[in-house]
Structures are given as structure tokens and as C-alpha cells.
Amino acid sequence: MLQGKKFILGISGGIAAYKCAQLTRLLVKEGAEVQVIMTKLAKQFITPLTMATLSKRPILVEFFDPENGAWNSHVDSGLWADAMIVAPATANTMGKMANGVADNLLITTYLSARCPVFVAPTMDLDMYQHPSTQRNMSTLRSYGNHLIEPNAGELASGLVGKGRMAEPEEIVAELKDFFAKKEKQDLSGKKVLVTAGPTHEKIDPVRFIGNYSSGKMGYALAEELADRGAKVTLVSGPTQISTLNPNIERINVVSAEEMYEASSSRFEQMDAAIMCAAVADYTPVHKADEKMKRNDNELSVELKATTDIAAALGEKKSDKQVLVGFALETQDAMSNAQKKLIKKNLDFIVLNSLKDKGAGFNSYTNKITIIDKHNKIKEFSLKSKADVASDIVDELVGCL
Ligand code: C5P
């Protein structure tokens, strides 16, 4: 799977740098080419001689060779690679990657790279938990970078917790999985509509009714579909997530009404639609033009039902089109999901329960059950939203 693939391995200065020797050996054994770029500090943890010998190429550290002025082009390296792996990624390096602090060759290469980027963080448990590290990792995820979660265990400091860099075998497995999916292209030529995120229903110019949806699940689905060859139309409510995937056309909307218009006008051209958005079920009847003033009495906001987008598409659906919905339930999960499946004329519904730890809004993981129109039920374990997206797309491919 990795035969002939070209990798940039960006090593930053953490004790786990020693694992890069093994990682490079495994990649070379798979038939891949590896160009190592090290930060200055990384050279203190593992020698350039070791890395150059194992990768069979001189390693790069500086922007240019001080002896002869030869330029180490970060742009060329960034364009050459099929993927960049930053391992170990220290808190410092991730901070620079997240904020574009381009003061070494590893970061300038990262900023120029057009290929997928895999990031394997490592650090002490308190550094890992610090809000700045967590925020930087979120930012990197929002750029579409693939974070390879560190393992929990004994750390170099002697403390025990999360922060051990993933093992070289795990990183190689993640890369193989990524390229296997990419090369599968089982949705080539298909057009898929995805709705994602929350909607905001205006009350007045400064207030709205919204919900906690982050859009992560919908964006993970759009990325997965696009990676497997589909042309994706992503109708997105307000989110903090960005996507650079050339197979994704993103249409930004705010309200349920706008989401309905954008989705229903495009549905006819689609082979499938996945309704992942947390659409408001009600919207204010009157939307005030001026900010509503406080008074000391109670305030009632009159609401009316929004259009159920999934149900509207379900009515229009042809025999060849596949429609997928989501159900986020807090009680009677299974029977409510089954009712929605029928009412909205879905081919299958993805159930997630807010009672499952790590599932639902704003987490990076999800735990789902898929129920299809023949009432076949498949339960899945807790997984990253990217892996959950892969399971859902597998089910969709089976229906198409
Ligand atoms: O009925 P409920 O809102 O729980 O149904 C959830 C499913 O219906 C999701 O797939 C959601 O995207 C979709 N939905 C919709 N339009 C609405 C409400 C929900 O498409 N107005």
C-alpha cells in the first residue's frame, strides 16, 4: 500500500524522536521514500547520521547550507510528498503549526505542503491537557490535519498519563488505512449532498436560537466521501471548521429556511444525501429588526415549526437516490429513531444517544447504531468521528 509513496518526516525535539528510527525503517521496508526534516533541538534527541542512514537521504535542518549557500526549498519538499508526518509533534511545534510561526524548515515546509498532514503529538500529561495545547490541536484538526492520538502510559518524566507518542507500527497502520481508502475511490462519479452543523434562528439583530452542534460529524462525512471520489455539496450552518478538499463545494447558510432552500434546490442532481445537520425545529414567528429591550416582565417568543428538510427530500426521493438521516436521542432512542426512519422515508438512520459517553455534540468521538429500512440493526463501538464517517459511508456504498 505504501510502495512508492513519498513522505516527509518532520521530527521535532521530544524524547520520542528515538521512535523515528523505527518509523523510518518500517516506511522504507514498505517501499516508501522518506525525506527527514529535523528541528535544531530534534538533533539532540536522535542524530542526523542515524536518520540519514535509515532514510538513505541527507536530512534537512537549515533553510540553506552555510558552506555553499545551497537552498533547501521547503516549497519543493512540500510539493514532492504524498504525505507529511510530524512525529514527534511537540507542544511548541504544534503551536507554531497552528499559528504559522515559520521560523524553521519544518514549519515552512508544513505551510507549503499541499499533501495530507499527519501529526503525532507527544509530551508530558499536563502539557498535553493544557488548554493551549488542546486549542492548537483543535486548530490543526480544523485545517484538515490528521491527529494521531498519543497513548496513555508511563511518560519519560516518570508520570503516568496520556502523552506517549503513538508507536511506529500504529502510525504506519494509520497511513496504510488512509491510502487504502483514497485508492478505493468507490464513490467516483457520485454526487452526495451533506448537511452539517447547527442552524441559527434569528430573534433580533443580536440574538438567535441555536444548538450545541459543532459540525464535526458532518465535515468528517464530507471529507470521507470526497476522499473516496464523490463530488460533495456541503450545506453548512455556522461552524468553526474549514475544509480545503477540492472535491467539496461548501455552501454556507445560517437558518433552517436557508438550509432547506440550498438543499432542496440541489437534491435532484444528487445520488445521495446525508442529513447530518442539527436543524432547528422551530423559528421565531417575528424576527425583530431592532434589538429587543429588556423589561422586567416575562417575555414570550412565539415560534413556528421549520420545514423538515429530511422529510421534504424523502418525499421527492427517486428509487435511485439514497437518503440518510441522523437521530440524536436522550430517551427511547431506538423506537424514536425507527419512527423517524419511516416518517422521513430514509434508507437508513444513524442513531447516537447523548447518554453514551464520548458521543454526540462537540466531541471528537462518536458511538453509533445504524438502522436500515428493513429494520436491520448494526451497533458500532466508540470511534473517532473520522472512523465513524468511514462506517457510515461503507453503509451508503452498499445502498447505492
Ligand atoms: O426529527 P429530528 O429533528 O430528530 O430528526 C433528525 C434528522 O432530521 C436529522 O437527519 C436532521 O438533519 C433532519 N432534520 C431536517 N430538518 C429539520 C429537522 C431535522 O433535515 N427541520
Side-chain angles (χ1 to χ4, degrees):
M1 188 48 66
L2 301 182
Q3 176 74 37
K5 291 279 179 296
K6 302 187 188 88
F7 293 105
I8 293 169
L9 174 57
I11 308 179
S12 64
I15 182 64
Y18 78 89
K19 293 186 185 176
C20 288
Q22 175 69 350
L23 176 58
T24 305
R25 277 203 60 208
L26 292 175
L27 291 172
V28 170
K29 244 167 107 181
E30 292 282 340
E33 288 181 61
V34 182
Q35 172 63 64
V36 174
I37 298 179
M38 296 172 87
T39 62
K40 284 198 178 85
L41 190 59
K43 293 198 296 179
Q44 306 295 323
F45 287 96
I46 187 156
T47 70
L49 180 60
T50 303
M51 294 314 303
T53 309
L54 292 172
S55 65
K56 304 183 179 34
R57 282 167 174 265
I59 63 129
L60 303 174
V61 178
E62 305 290 348
F63 290 112
F64 59 89
D65 184 330
E67 294 297 317
N68 61 18
W71 181 244
N72 292 325
S73 171
H74 54 273
V75 177
D76 288 352
S77 303
L79 295 180
W80 167 82
D82 293 303
M84 178 170 185
I85 311 156
V86 183
T90 58
N92 178 47
T93 286
M94 287 198 293
K96 289 180 184 177
M97 289 165 71
N99 295 291
V101 181
D103 65 353
N104 66 39
L105 189 66
L106 192 160
I107 303 293
T108 50
T109 306
Y110 165 72
L111 294 176
S112 322
R114 291 195 190 155
C115 58
V117 179
F118 293 80
V119 184
T122 178
M123 66 204 72
D124 231 37
L125 72 165
D126 296 309
M127 286 177 83
Y128 184 73
Q129 293 304 343
H130 195 277
S132 77
T133 309
Q134 293 295 321
R135 194 191 56 223
N136 287 333
M137 290 198 300
S138 273
T139 305
L140 295 180
R141 282 194 180 95
S142 76
Y143 299 159
N145 297 167
H146 303 263
L147 270 283
I148 304 177
E149 293 272 318
N151 295 321
E154 193 179 330
L155 303 167
S157 60
L159 296 172
V160 175
K162 193 164 180 177
R164 285 174 64 87
M165 190 177 95
E167 295 305 319
E169 291 76 8
E170 292 173 302
I171 296 175
V172 170
E174 182 111 2
L175 294 169
K176 279 186 176 172
D177 195 43
F178 175 80
F179 284 105
K181 253 194 295 184
K182 229 178 143 170
E183 279 156 30
K184 225 191 307 176
Q185 295 292 296
D186 48 4
L187 284 168
S188 165
K190 298 288 182 204
K191 291 187 188 143
V192 185
L193 177 91
V194 178
T195 64
T199 64
H200 289 180
E201 307 303 319
K202 180 179 167 182
I203 297 173
D204 70 12
V206 295
R207 303 180 181 95
F208 60 83
I209 299 173
N211 58 65
Y212 293 120
S213 169
S214 60
K216 288 186 184 114
M217 192 63 243
Y219 277 68
L221 276 165
E223 296 286 346
E224 173 74 16
L225 291 160
D227 283 347
R228 288 165 69 163
K231 284 268 174 245
V232 181
T233 303
L234 175 64
V235 179
S236 173
T239 70
Q240 300 296 319
I241 313 176
S242 56
T243 171
L244 298 172
N245 198 312
N247 276 349
I248 301 177
E249 184 200 1
R250 172 172 164 173
I251 293 154
N252 291 324
V253 296
V254 177
S255 65
E257 193 54 33
E258 286 171 15
M259 188 172 274
Y260 167 68
E261 293 294 338
S263 306
S264 69
S265 61
R266 291 169 175 84
F267 182 56
E268 212 182 313
Q269 291 102 53
M270 300 292 152
D271 296 289
I274 306 181
M275 305 281 97
C276 190
V279 187
D281 288 321
Y282 292 92
T283 191
V285 173
H286 305 289
K287 299 172 198 324
D289 290 331
E290 304 296 338
K291 185 180 169 195
M292 288 162 68
K293 295 269 178 293
R294 180 196 167 96
N295 64 37
D296 289 334
N297 300 324
E298 284 178 8
L299 171 74
S300 299
V301 178
E302 200 186 342
L303 301 175
K304 63 176 180 192
T306 55
T307 309
D308 187 327
I309 306 167
L313 301 192
E315 267 181 38
K316 289 203 231 174
K317 189 178 76 163
S318 75
D319 291 347
K320 291 201 185 93
Q321 289 177 304
V322 177
L323 185 61
V324 179
F326 273 70
L328 180 68
E329 302 294 338
T330 54
Q331 57 188 12
D332 301 331
M334 186 57 79
S335 70
N336 278 330
Q338 282 162 327
K339 278 185 208 146
K340 282 176 195 171
L341 174 79
I342 296 164
K343 187 172 157 225
K344 300 181 193 226
N345 192 21
L346 306 172
D347 291 272
F348 67 88
I349 192 158
V350 181
L351 165 66
N352 38 72
S353 165
L354 277 185
K355 296 225 165 82
D356 286 324
K357 207 168 167 284
F361 289 142
N362 229 331
S363 73
Y364 287 102
T365 51
N366 204 358
K367 186 173 182 313
I368 59 157
T369 303
I370 291 180
I371 307 147
D372 75 10
K373 60 182 175 189
H374 309 296
N375 217 9
K376 224 169 87 202
I377 297 168
K378 286 187 198 162
E379 279 190 43
F380 297 81
S381 57
L382 186 74
K383 298 181 179 188
S384 73
K385 284 191 171 167
D387 289 341
V388 171
S390 169
D391 291 334
I392 295 169
V393 173
D394 284 345
E395 185 74 20
L396 177 71
V397 168
C399 297
L400 278 166

